[in-house]
Amino acid sequence: MLRRAPVRPALRRRRPAKPGECLLGGLVLLLAALLAAAPVHGAQPGEALMQSIADGLRILKDPAYQSAERKPLQQEKLRDLLYRDFDFTEFSRRVLADKWASFSAGERQEFVDVFARFLAGVYLPHLQQHYTDETVAVRGQTITAPGRALVRAEVVRRRRGFPVDIRLHDRVGRWQAYDLSA
């Protein structure tokens, strides 16, 4: 007798994203990444994150950058902050997963450079255009291993909170973000 495999129930489908939700999700992650920079030497990850949030918000709110002709300079300042405090090498390694090992050192560096420029080039202009006094609050931190931490934060936009988990590691006395999830 031929037996049929059990029929699995249909997978639940996610509702289609409303217009602007994908952009909002990307902006929330970019804002968290940008503001997750942690340059304070010797500080706890959450404390360093709060200092970096202040640095990013200072750039976004600075009246000197509000005119259209000054936006490229503001973007440059934001990019400098992002590059300084976000570990794009570790992020790229995680994105490529097992493919990372098959790249030469030169190919890895080229990928990191192109990927970082791509992310900054896509999201920073959107952040500049759509930033409207969102805030970021650190909700807690967990040291997951020596030199590694998980910081739980919340981006608040229009009185609605979006939780973001930020993974950081200590690189030569400086906490750097290397992974985000919302």
Side-chain angles (χ1 to χ4, degrees):
M1 177 176 195
L2 187 60
R3 297 184 113 187
R4 295 181 113 197
V7 177
R8 291 186 182 187
L11 295 175
R12 272 185 28 190
R13 291 185 179 204
R14 295 181 69 193
R15 67 171 177 75
K18 294 179 183 174
E21 279 186 345
C22 292
L23 176 62
L24 175 61
L27 288 175
V28 166
L29 284 176
L30 181 68
L31 181 64
L34 181 63
L35 303 180
V40 180
H41 293 278
Q44 289 293 315
E47 294 168 358
L49 179 63
M50 290 306 295
Q51 177 60 52
S52 295
I53 289 169
D55 291 346
L57 290 176
R58 192 170 22 263
I59 295 168
L60 284 169
K61 292 180 177 182
D62 189 335
Y65 300 123
Q66 299 312 310
S67 69
E69 53 275 348
R70 301 281 296 174
K71 288 295 183 185
L73 183 56
Q74 181 187 47
Q75 191 175 118
E76 184 179 320
K77 297 286 186 188
L78 292 169
R79 184 179 292 109
D80 290 346
L81 179 64
L82 183 63
Y83 284 7
R84 180 189 75 189
D85 298 318
F86 194 85
D87 187 345
F88 281 103
T89 301
E90 182 65 16
F91 186 55
S92 296
R93 187 182 70 76
R94 289 168 176 271
V95 165
L96 291 175
D98 60 342
K99 301 291 186 211
W100 182 258
S102 65
F103 283 32
S104 70
E107 290 170 329
R108 289 176 185 165
Q109 189 58 54
E110 182 179 358
F111 180 85
V112 170
D113 294 343
V114 169
F115 190 48
R117 279 195 317 268
F118 169 75
L119 291 174
V122 168
Y123 288 109
L124 286 178
H126 289 293
L127 179 63
Q128 288 176 291
Q129 183 178 4
H130 298 286
Y131 175 73
T132 55
D133 291 329
E134 288 82 2
T135 60
V136 181
V138 171
R139 299 293 183 214
Q141 73 175 22
T142 304
I143 303 298
T144 58
R148 293 197 178 269
L150 170 66
V151 175
R152 296 189 185 281
E154 183 178 53
V155 177
V156 179
R157 178 184 172 121
R158 297 184 186 146
R159 294 181 284 165
R160 183 172 173 208
F162 298 91
V164 180
D165 289 347
I166 304 153
R167 295 190 182 281
L168 302 104
H169 55 193
D170 186 345
R171 289 290 182 245
V172 193
R174 168 183 248 111
W175 287 100
Q176 288 186 306
Y178 65 87
D179 194 20
L180 306 161
S181 58

